Amino acid sequence: MSKALTTRAEDYSQWYNDLVIKGGLADYSAVRGCMVIKPYGFALWENMRDQLDKMFKDTGHVNAYFPLFVPKSLFEAEEKNAEGFAKECAIVTHYRLKADPDHKGKLMVDPEAKLEEELIVRPTSEAIIWNTYKGWIQSYRDLPILINQWANVVRWEMRTRLFLRTAEFLWQEGHTAHATREEAIIETEKMLDVYAEFVEEYMAVPVIKGIKTANERFAGAEETYCIEAMMQDGKALQAGTSHFLGQNFAKAFDVKFSDKNNTLDYVWATSWGVSTRLIGALIMAHSDDQGLIMPPRIAPVQVVIVPVYKGDDSKPVIDEKANALAKELKALGIRVKFDDSDNSRPGWKFAEYELKGVPVRIAMGLRDIDNNVVELARRDTKDKQTVSMEGLPAYVSGLLEEIQLNIYNRAKAFQTEHINTADTWEDFIKVLDEKGGFVSAHWDGTAETEEAIKEKTKATIRCIPLNNVPEAGQCILTGKPSTQRVLFARAY
RNA sequence: CGGGAUGUAGCGUAGCCCGGUUAUCGCGCCUGGUUUGGGACCAGGAGGUCGCAAGUUCGAAUCUUGCCAUCCCGACCA
């Protein structure tokens, strides 16, 4: 059967690809570096998006939409930001095709239709947004502006991987404007908390909140906050970022406001985003060699009912019971699918829904109906149990929560196991190579040392944890004094 | 962008080194039947620009050149 999965031990990368493709989340496309998100994968994204959107609205944000294209002159206005993205920009230079006189039936770019000014396909929207905000902000009364947009962006990556790094991806980007530095910093931290809450509570992936070093900071930001997650192969993955932009963009786009004393000052800014990359994090944090494992709270299908029948006459009996059960589950807000298709047999369906990571499977046959029970299997532990149909919906509802908690705890235990300290260079290498994961170690605070460590070990500083306790020590590489530990890891 | 690998039906593949009738097999698909508690079985059937383009040759899936795409490893990145 072509559905056979590569195991994690065999080839971790291939295992990941197999899950994405065979689990029906996405497909390769005819466009280099771009993927098709299939209905099952998009349903997952929709659930994530809807929850995040609710959390954004609950914290006072509103949605808007800005153009895909950014005129080059606007794009380059904030120099650091422009420089940071310059190497991965797609550029529109023409606006028309015409029939190619030398090749019948083919088209060519019409050289007459060159744009006066090139358009950059947004790799992020700060430029077009701050150019717009300039027209919206005159007074402190116009502040704050708390806008989010759901959009696609393009970053022309050299090497792409399904969900983790594609040339085009979906994300949300929040762009806020504030009257004071303090307020902007509070916003930056608030949104980091929103991300952490979402990823931990809904995706069941534990994260470390921290700030980035200068090397890893978003180009154009004063401070970049991040949440870092741990994958099963011990590599770190940045799951979300929130930037305190200071007055950099306000200065670049000349966005000033009058305060209560009628003094003019530049506006303070933040931006924050998470992307479809989170789906990659979800897959690599939870799944196993049998397939995906979806956290119930965002699973496209939470419960699947598989009928097991003998002969045509038993089918209507089972259908009736199953439909009734599905209705009861739906009434509790549970996303349930009754797979009554006659195309495949129960065993095939069992394997298929395991591959797709459906948290709970209910098998129902005549034997069960006679005894007023069902067979209930949970994806996270593979446990099977026979449960009475009496009070089943409430039981299932509780079980979904239990599964959610269990996979979080499992991931949390893994994360804890994979945060180790190192106090000498030898130790550092050893932990990195043998255990993987985060290595908590002292660092002298210089970009040169960070760079040198990266070159020697491939490990980068993922973050300086927000909850760090000050501790005097010596840099792992240079031996120079250090005031706190930072987290190193090899990362995606 | 460098290194490696791959490209033959929806998927996985044989054939390629050593050119030669109608391109192999399995899964899947279609039709009919028997089945259904962990990826069912029988019978019949459909499905192919052999990644694309040039070239060599009487003849190319097979040899040559160029191009394209994907994966893996690196450099770069959410």
Side-chain angles (χ1 to χ4, degrees):
Chain A
M1 184 84 203
S2 64
K3 289 270 184 177
L5 295 173
T6 307
T7 63
R8 284 166 292 185
E10 260 175 88
D11 184 341
Y12 192 84
S13 298
Q14 196 52 48
W15 165 79
Y16 173 80
N17 288 333
D18 280 4
L19 254 56
V20 173
I21 301 295
K22 291 175 180 164
L25 296 175
D27 223 337
Y28 294 110
S29 76
V31 193
R32 177 199 211 105
C34 295
M35 61 187 242
V36 175
I37 303 176
K38 293 178 76 176
Y40 190 61
F42 203 78
L44 175 63
W45 176 241
E46 283 175 318
N47 288 342
M48 293 164 66
R49 187 192 64 188
D50 291 351
Q51 178 56 36
L52 279 166
D53 199 64
K54 183 176 180 307
M55 294 167 89
F56 297 155
K57 305 249 169 85
D58 285 348
T59 43
H61 302 85
V62 289
N63 286 330
Y65 187 80
F66 294 84
L68 171 67
F69 302 118
V70 187
K72 181 165 156 291
S73 57
L74 286 188
F75 185 77
E76 63 200 7
E78 210 294 324
E79 280 180 44
K80 279 192 186 134
N81 187 255
E83 245 178 66
F85 284 108
K87 285 170 296 181
E88 43 188 343
C89 285
I91 305 130
V92 180
T93 56
H94 293 74
Y95 59 86
R96 194 164 62 209
L97 296 171
K98 65 173 193 177
D100 185 342
D102 299 329
H103 300 92
K104 203 170 174 335
K106 306 279 188 195
L107 294 171
M108 61 180 286
V109 174
D110 186 347
E112 304 286 302
K114 197 168 182 327
L115 289 172
E116 266 183 42
E117 180 178 4
E118 293 90 348
L119 297 173
I120 313 299
V121 181
R122 64 180 165 215
T124 180
S125 301
E126 275 80 2
I128 191 79
I129 285 178
W130 278 89
N131 173 259
T132 308
Y133 282 0
K134 176 180 167 60
W136 293 354
I137 299 168
Q138 282 92 43
S139 145
Y140 72 93
R141 295 179 197 274
D142 298 322
L143 297 172
I145 292 179
L146 304 174
I147 283 181
N148 174 64
Q149 86 165 342
W150 290 95
N152 59 338
V153 286
V154 169
R155 296 180 187 177
W156 215 259
E157 300 290 349
M158 291 301 182
R159 188 178 158 204
T160 57
R161 295 198 61 186
L162 295 164
F163 286 115
L164 296 174
R165 191 175 302 105
T166 46
E168 179 193 13
F169 58 93
L170 305 184
W171 77 346
Q172 57 70 215
E173 44 181 328
H175 296 274
T176 68
H178 306 266
T180 65
R181 178 185 181 90
E182 292 68 35
E183 192 184 304
I185 291 176
I186 287 170
E187 166 79 4
T188 311
E189 291 174 348
K190 181 199 287 176
M191 297 324 287
L192 188 77
D193 288 342
V194 165
Y195 286 157
E197 185 190 340
F198 171 75
V199 174
E200 296 198 330
E201 298 294 316
Y202 290 85
M203 296 179 55
V205 176
V207 294
I208 307 273
K209 289 190 269 191
I211 58 171
K212 288 292 189 189
T213 62
N215 274 358
E216 302 274 326
R217 192 180 295 150
F218 178 69
E222 266 190 39
E223 199 78 89
T224 288
Y225 294 66
C226 64
I227 49 174
E228 292 284 328
M230 172 70 48
M231 304 296 100
Q232 290 182 58
D233 61 350
K235 283 168 85 172
L237 186 137
Q238 181 174 304
T241 50
S242 183
H243 313 290
F244 169 58
L245 302 173
Q247 294 175 312
N248 290 344
F249 282 89
K251 284 176 180 164
F253 290 91
D254 193 34
V255 186
K256 291 183 198 159
F257 74 105
S258 313
D259 67 13
K260 283 180 186 168
N261 308 314
N262 201 27
T263 348
L264 275 182
D265 193 11
Y266 288 107
V267 172
W268 298 87
T270 83
S271 71
W272 27 274
V274 295
S275 71
T276 38
R277 181 180 226 208
L278 282 178
I279 293 175
L282 181 80
I283 296 167
M284 286 197 288
H286 298 314
S287 303
D288 63 21
D289 291 345
Q290 276 69 50
L292 299 165
I293 294 180
M294 295 280 181
R297 286 191 191 164
I298 53 168
V301 177
Q302 295 173 307
V303 177
V304 64
I305 303 175
V306 177
V308 182
Y309 42 82
K310 286 190 170 64
D312 283 343
D313 37 330
S314 65
K315 191 166 185 302
V317 182
I318 298 167
D319 279 2
E320 195 194 326
K321 275 280 183 193
N323 277 317
L325 175 60
K327 203 173 160 190
E328 282 185 88
L329 290 169
K330 271 181 198 156
L332 292 181
I334 294 171
R335 294 184 288 277
V336 57
K337 173 177 175 175
F338 172 40
D339 186 351
D340 65 341
S341 65
D342 198 26
N343 299 332
S344 41
R345 298 165 78 255
W348 193 91
K349 291 178 183 172
F350 292 173
E352 184 66 13
Y353 290 111
E354 271 164 21
L355 172 60
K356 294 200 150 189
V358 176
V360 172
R361 181 186 73 231
I362 295 175
M364 191 190 273
L366 275 188
R367 210 162 73 200
D368 302 307
I369 290 174
D370 289 343
N371 297 319
N372 201 38
V373 297
V374 294
E375 182 195 80
L376 201 147
R378 50 190 284 187
R379 177 64 182 88
D380 60 335
T381 59
K382 307 246 182 55
D383 282 347
K384 280 196 269 195
Q385 45 178 328
T386 303
V387 181
S388 168
M389 281 204 236
E390 236 28 82
L392 185 58
Y395 181 81
V396 168
S397 182
L399 182 61
L400 287 170
E401 277 306 297
E402 192 185 322
I403 293 171
Q404 179 81 27
L405 193 64
N406 181 50
I407 63 177
Y408 174 80
N409 287 340
R410 206 155 71 177
K412 181 71 184 174
F414 183 90
Q415 185 207 50
T416 306
E417 245 170 71
H418 289 81
I419 303 178
N420 295 289
T421 57
D423 292 313
T424 65
W425 182 249
E426 291 69 36
D427 238 25
F428 183 76
I429 305 272
K430 201 175 159 208
V431 171
L432 210 53
D433 285 344
E434 288 172 14
K435 295 182 182 166
F438 292 121
V439 187
S440 178
H442 282 283
W443 162 61
D444 65 19
T446 68
E448 295 75 45
T449 302
E450 184 179 3
E451 207 49 57
I453 293 174
K454 183 181 175 185
E455 216 158 282
K456 289 176 196 290
T457 65
K458 309 269 181 234
T460 50
I461 298 176
R462 299 321 301 158
C463 69
I464 303 160
L466 287 186
N467 61 1
N468 244 5
V469 273
E471 177 194 301
Q474 292 181 322
C475 174
I476 206 83
L477 184 68
T478 63
K480 288 182 190 159
S482 147
T483 56
Q484 61 178 344
R485 288 176 182 274
V486 298
L487 289 182
F488 287 88
R490 296 192 175 116
Y492 277 98

